[in-house]
């Protein structure tokens, strides 16, 4: 067998009978991570359909969703095993899947919707399969993160997927505060029933005028993308609560505004410290509190002290 043909088999593309379009060789053993449509069933890739037709075993986060996809694309389950694999039953299911891989079988794992392991179960399964020496092959395809980024109208040169925020308000605000200064577009998944509360917290913690977008029901019949400031998006969510699958995006912080805020914080801290301490002591306290270089803080402290003396 040629190297090119072996490479195709290894990555889930079996050779075909000339002129027939029918695959005649089975998939090589391994765990195949199959991306599935996030809405429109036609968004599945040809390679994904081929693997779903040929795999010895099918595993899915939601077996009902996978059965529906197979039916739409006329793929016969035959007598192949179809099992569920999700966060709750993962520890119990992994040994069986690893046994199948050890027997030389091919196992296709499909997420509920989108690309496996992106805010979905599967990490432990991939880790276990790799540690056991089995091949793990990713089949790229639909992803709500990338689809939302494409239509949000926000910078895409740098982005951070932050998954789901905590459900409780205090924990959610703390999580947002930790992300406030990340110089990238932030992407979150959110439940429609918590979207308004999350947008309120985003506006409060990240800034009311920070740009954002709300994308819902992507690739589906009622797809919608709302754009505006975080305060505007919150107001709109109050008046017209979103329904369906929601992706929230927040643009990167304004570099000029961030720098101005940092200067204001430094000046406020020094002004307070200089009321009761010398320039040297105030510098030490503020530099430690804000995590800034002492030379920078000392220079600013001298300038403020001199300005204060000149006023008097």
């Amino acid at each position: 067998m040629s190297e090119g043909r072996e490479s195709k088999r290894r990555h889930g593309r079996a050779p075909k009978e000339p002129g027939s379009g029918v695959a005649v060789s089975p998939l090589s053993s391994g765990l195949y991570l199959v991306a599935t449509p996030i809405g429109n069933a036609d968004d599945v890739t040809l390679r994904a359909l081929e693997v779903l037709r040929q795999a010895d075993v099918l595993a899915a986060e939601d077996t009902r969703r996978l059965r529906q996809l197979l039916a739409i694309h006329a793929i016969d389950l035959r007598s192949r095993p179809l099992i569920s694999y999700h966060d709750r039953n993962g520890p119990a299911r992994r040994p069986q899947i690893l046994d199948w891989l050890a027997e030389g079988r091919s196992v296709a794992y499909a997420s509920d919707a989108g690309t496996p392991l992106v805010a979905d179960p599967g990490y432990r399964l991939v880790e276990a399969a790799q540690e056991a020496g089995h091949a793990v092959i990713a089949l790229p395809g639909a992803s709500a993160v990338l689809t939302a980024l494409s239509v949000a109208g926000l910078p895409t040169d740098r982005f951070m997927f932050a998954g789901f925020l905590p459900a409780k308000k205090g924990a959610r605000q703390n999580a947002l505060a930790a992300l406030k200064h990340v110089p990238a577009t932030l992407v979150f998944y959110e439940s429609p029933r918590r979207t308004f509360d999350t947008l309120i917290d985003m506006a409060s913690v990240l800034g009311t005028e920070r740009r954002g977008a709300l994308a819902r029901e992507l690739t589906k019949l009622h797809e919608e993308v709302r754009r505006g400031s975080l305060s505007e998006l919150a107001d709109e969510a109050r008046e017209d609560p979103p329904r369906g699958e929601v992706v929230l995006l927040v643009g990167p912080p304004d570099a000029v505004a961030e720098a101005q805020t940092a200067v204001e914080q430094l000046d406020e801290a020094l002004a307070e410290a200089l009321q009761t301490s010398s320039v040297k002591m105030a510098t030490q306290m503020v530099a430690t509190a804000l995590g800034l270089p002492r030379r920078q803080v000392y220079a600013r402290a001298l300038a403020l002290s001199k300005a204060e003396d000149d006023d008097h």
Side-chain angles (χ1 to χ4, degrees), residues 249-264:
L249 304 96
V250 181
D254 185 306
V256 175
E258 290 272 296
Q260 182 61 36
T261 299
V263 170
E264 291 172 355

Side-chain angles (χ1 to χ4, degrees), residues 146-167:
L146 297 180
T147 304
L149 279 167
S150 299
V151 297
L154 296 170
T156 57
D157 55 328
R158 299 181 71 185
F159 66 89
M160 175 181 174
F161 175 58
F164 286 93
L165 286 165

Side-chain angles (χ1 to χ4, degrees), residues 14-233:
K16 302 179 187 301
E17 190 71 34
S20 71
V22 178
V24 295
S25 296
L27 293 177
S28 56
S29 175
L31 176 63
Y32 293 81
L33 306 176
V34 183
T36 57
I38 61 175
N40 192 314
D42 288 339
D43 287 340
V44 67
T45 69
L46 295 175
R47 186 180 177 205
L49 293 177
E50 186 175 324
V51 167
L52 291 174
R53 285 191 185 96
Q54 296 188 57
D56 299 318
V57 177
L58 300 179
E61 182 183 2
D62 187 333
T63 56
R64 294 168 300 177
R65 293 287 293 270
L66 184 58
R67 284 181 183 274
Q68 183 180 32
L69 183 65
L70 295 178
I72 289 172
H73 293 284
I75 296 176
D76 188 359
L77 182 58
R78 305 189 300 278
S79 59
R80 296 178 294 171
L82 170 57
I83 66 168
S84 64
Y85 182 93
H86 45 69
D87 285 332
R88 296 182 301 281
N89 71 2
R93 292 292 197 195
R94 278 195 293 275
Q96 176 64 79
I97 293 175
L98 292 173
D99 285 345
W100 278 322
L101 292 172
E103 292 170 1
R105 299 197 193 189
S106 53
V107 179
Y109 172 66
S111 65
D112 182 6
T115 300
L117 278 71
V118 179
D120 280 325
Y123 159 68
R124 295 296 182 188
L125 176 59
V126 168
E127 180 183 46
Q130 290 174 333
E131 287 181 351
H134 303 300
V136 177
I137 304 99
L139 279 63
S143 166
V145 174
L146 297 180
T147 304
L149 279 167
S150 299
V151 297
L154 296 170
T156 57
D157 55 328
R158 299 181 71 185
F159 66 89
M160 175 181 174
F161 175 58
F164 286 93
L165 286 165
K168 294 185 177 180
K169 186 179 185 68
R172 184 167 59 236
Q173 290 180 336
N174 289 337
L176 288 168
L179 299 171
K180 181 175 182 178
H181 303 294
V182 173
T185 293
L186 306 176
V187 186
F188 304 88
Y189 287 164
E190 189 52 279
S191 161
R193 69 178 182 275
R194 286 199 301 265
T195 296
F196 170 67
D197 291 336
T198 295
L199 285 168
I200 288 293
D201 288 338
M202 285 180 168
S204 173
V205 175
L206 304 180
T208 58
E209 296 307 309
R210 194 151 162 181
R211 305 299 295 174
L214 183 160
R216 72 177 190 90
E217 294 293 89
L218 291 168
T219 78
K220 300 178 183 177
L221 179 62
H222 300 292
E223 176 178 318
E224 178 188 22
V225 182
R226 304 176 186 179
R227 305 174 184 85
S229 69
L230 291 177
S231 60
E232 290 170 339
L233 290 173

Side-chain angles (χ1 to χ4, degrees), residues 243-290:
R243 292 169 293 279
E245 303 291 335
V246 173
V247 182
L248 293 176
L249 304 96
V250 181
D254 185 306
V256 175
E258 290 272 296
Q260 182 61 36
T261 299
V263 170
E264 291 172 355
Q265 290 176 338
L266 174 59
D267 284 358
E268 289 175 4
L270 282 173
E272 182 177 352
L274 287 169
Q275 290 179 9
T276 57
S277 304
S278 65
V279 169
K280 183 177 180 180
M281 184 60 69
T283 295
Q284 182 176 343
M285 290 189 298
V286 172
T288 301
L290 299 183

